[in-house]
Amino acid sequence: MGPDTQTQDLQNRMNHVRNVLRESGLKLTHQRLEILNEVCKADDHPDAETIYRSVRERMPTVSLDTVYRTLWLLLDLGLINALGPSRERVRFDANTEVHHHFVCRKCGVIHDFTSPELDGVQIPEAIRDLGQGEKMHIEVRGLCRDCLKDKASDC
Amino acid sequence: MGPDTQTQDLQNRMNHVRNVLRESGLKLTHQRLEILNEVCKADDHPDAETIYRSVRERMPTVSLDTVYRTLWLLLDLGLINALGPSRERVRFDANTEVHHHFVCRKCGVIHDFTSPELDGVQIPEAIRDLGQGEKMHIEVRGLCRDCLKDKASDC
DNA sequence: TTCCAAATAAGAATAAAACCTATTTAAGAA
DNA sequence: TTCTTAAATAGGTTTTATTCTTATTTGGAA
Ligand SMILES: [Mn+2]
Ligand SMILES: [Mn+2]
Ligand SMILES: [Zn+2]
Ligand SMILES: [Zn+2]
């Protein structure tokens, strides 16, 4: 993928986000566009502080709070992803049998599940180039039954 | 699994940990055994604070710091697992194509990878009972090339 | 029983993320 | 264009999960 294609991609991306924001009745602020631009340019999974520092080069008065708010907003809109669950503390699991987790994105409850298909999944060969794989974590995120019920009764 | 089997299981578990600690030249303190007991009894993925409160009922002078140190120790020994961000901040990813992550447990670097097998994995039916699955996160944890090299040169 | 490295308790420190509020601004209406 | 206002921001403060510091205690070997 050449630099032209990449630039084109970024343009498309920016336009798409502009549309989503507009359709959601959200304002297209300079801050949001700069932050979006930075997170789209990065391919190394930056944290909020790193994005903050980059944005500040072009926009010295931007606040860290705005960076956080904007990133959570883009996440809610499904325009970016987050690694390592936010607002969560570490939780411990003494169950060492093979099993996986369903994590509720609203209340944070974690349920175990097993699944013949997933239980059999092995660490793929492809990661040999990246390092030595030790453990695989498979996690499904969504809304638990209780939170679905709460949402339904909000009408 | 009846209550007797469960008690038996817990006993086996405790004995196993006693052996691992002894073999590693670590002390079998009352605190460690109480904390281990609590984390093994729980099946709801408790956080450190919750374990702390439970342990404190039987051992009122235990400190939160000891709970944390013990849980990280058990984790290092491979006797329990951790869910969520340990010592890590949230990181963002604007790449919305289907892909997965290799996370180095030492330096925290995150690399993308794709794998025909994993890319095809769907959210299993089994979680219907638990709620509405929205996204699947597959993550391989291990040591990256650089950290492997560092470890080798430590000799 | 004695001894000491390892472990702990208690309190202080750190830092990621959220909160508060006065001020600014995007964007629709006039 | 100017006016209007709810939404968004800046900057400072607060919260809180986790780690650090240090004086004291203790497990376990001799
Ligand atoms: Mn589990
Ligand atoms: Mn990625
Ligand atoms: Zn929930
Ligand atoms: Zn590494």
Side-chain angles (χ1 to χ4, degrees):
Chain A
M1 189 169 69
D4 298 350
T5 323
Q6 216 171 326
T7 308
Q8 187 56 56
D9 256 25
L10 187 54
Q11 284 303 320
N12 290 339
R13 199 61 163 304
M14 296 290 288
N15 284 331
H16 177 226
V17 174
R18 279 169 185 272
N19 288 333
V20 172
L21 286 178
R22 204 173 300 130
E23 284 160 20
S24 309
L26 297 161
K27 293 185 178 174
L28 279 89
T29 64
H30 298 144
Q31 289 88 341
R32 282 175 177 168
L33 295 175
E34 281 293 340
I35 291 164
L36 174 69
N37 191 52
E38 281 304 326
V39 72
C40 283
K41 275 197 317 192
D43 61 347
D44 57 347
H45 313 91
D47 59 24
E49 184 78 28
T50 303
I51 295 166
Y52 172 56
R53 279 198 295 270
S54 307
V55 171
R56 210 162 41 163
E57 286 175 16
R58 299 180 157 269
M59 189 179 261
T61 61
V62 74
S63 74
L64 180 58
D65 186 50
T66 297
V67 172
Y68 272 107
R69 261 184 299 105
T70 302
L71 290 169
W72 297 137
L73 178 74
L74 294 172
L75 184 67
D76 279 350
L77 294 170
L79 296 166
I80 64 173
N81 290 120
L83 307 175
S86 67
R87 309 157 222 228
E88 289 277 325
R89 20 197 135 152
V90 143
R91 300 173 69 158
F92 299 90
D93 190 353
N95 180 358
T96 51
E97 316 262 308
V98 171
H99 71 287
H100 315 291
H101 295 105
F102 175 86
V103 182
C104 177
R105 67 170 160 80
K106 194 173 167 212
C107 71
V109 75
I110 301 179
H111 293 298
D112 293 335
F113 72 88
T114 52
S115 143
E117 305 126 69
L118 294 189
D119 295 356
V121 173
Q122 297 294 312
I123 294 177
E125 295 297 309
I127 60 131
R128 280 273 174 80
D129 302 331
L130 305 174
Q132 182 178 340
E134 292 168 348
K135 264 188 205 171
M136 178 140 56
H137 280 244
I138 301 182
E139 179 177 311
V140 175
R141 297 181 193 176
L143 283 178
C144 74
R145 303 204 81 149
D146 290 347
C147 288
L148 280 173
K149 223 178 289 175
D150 290 353
K151 209 174 69 174
S153 66
D154 275 353
C155 305
Chain B
M1 188 169 70
D4 298 351
T5 323
Q6 215 172 326
T7 309
Q8 187 57 53
D9 256 25
L10 187 54
Q11 284 303 321
N12 290 341
R13 198 64 162 302
M14 296 289 289
N15 284 332
H16 177 226
V17 174
R18 279 169 185 272
N19 288 335
V20 173
L21 287 177
R22 203 172 302 131
E23 285 160 19
S24 309
L26 297 162
K27 293 184 178 176
L28 280 87
T29 64
H30 298 144
Q31 289 88 340
R32 282 174 178 169
L33 295 175
E34 282 293 337
I35 291 164
L36 174 70
N37 191 51
E38 281 304 325
V39 71
C40 283
K41 274 198 317 192
D43 61 348
D44 57 348
H45 313 89
D47 59 23
E49 183 78 30
T50 303
I51 295 166
Y52 172 56
R53 280 198 296 269
S54 307
V55 171
R56 209 162 43 163
E57 286 175 16
R58 299 180 158 270
M59 189 179 259
T61 61
V62 75
S63 74
L64 180 58
D65 185 50
T66 297
V67 172
Y68 271 105
R69 262 184 298 104
T70 302
L71 290 169
W72 296 136
L73 179 74
L74 294 171
L75 184 67
D76 280 348
L77 294 171
L79 297 166
I80 63 174
N81 290 120
L83 307 175
S86 75
R87 309 153 220 231
E88 288 276 325
R89 17 196 136 153
V90 150
R91 300 173 69 158
F92 299 90
D93 190 353
N95 179 358
T96 50
E97 315 262 308
V98 170
H99 71 287
H100 315 291
H101 295 105
F102 176 87
V103 182
C104 177
R105 66 169 160 82
K106 194 173 168 210
C107 72
V109 74
I110 300 178
H111 292 298
D112 293 335
F113 73 88
T114 53
S115 143
E117 306 127 68
L118 294 188
D119 295 357
V121 173
Q122 297 296 310
I123 295 178
E125 294 297 310
I127 58 132
R128 283 272 174 81
D129 302 332
L130 305 175
Q132 183 178 341
E134 291 169 347
K135 264 186 203 170
M136 178 139 59
H137 281 244
I138 300 181
E139 181 176 310
V140 174
R141 298 183 192 173
L143 283 178
C144 75
R145 302 204 82 148
D146 290 347
C147 288
L148 281 172
K149 223 179 287 174
D150 290 353
K151 210 174 68 173
S153 67
D154 276 353
C155 305

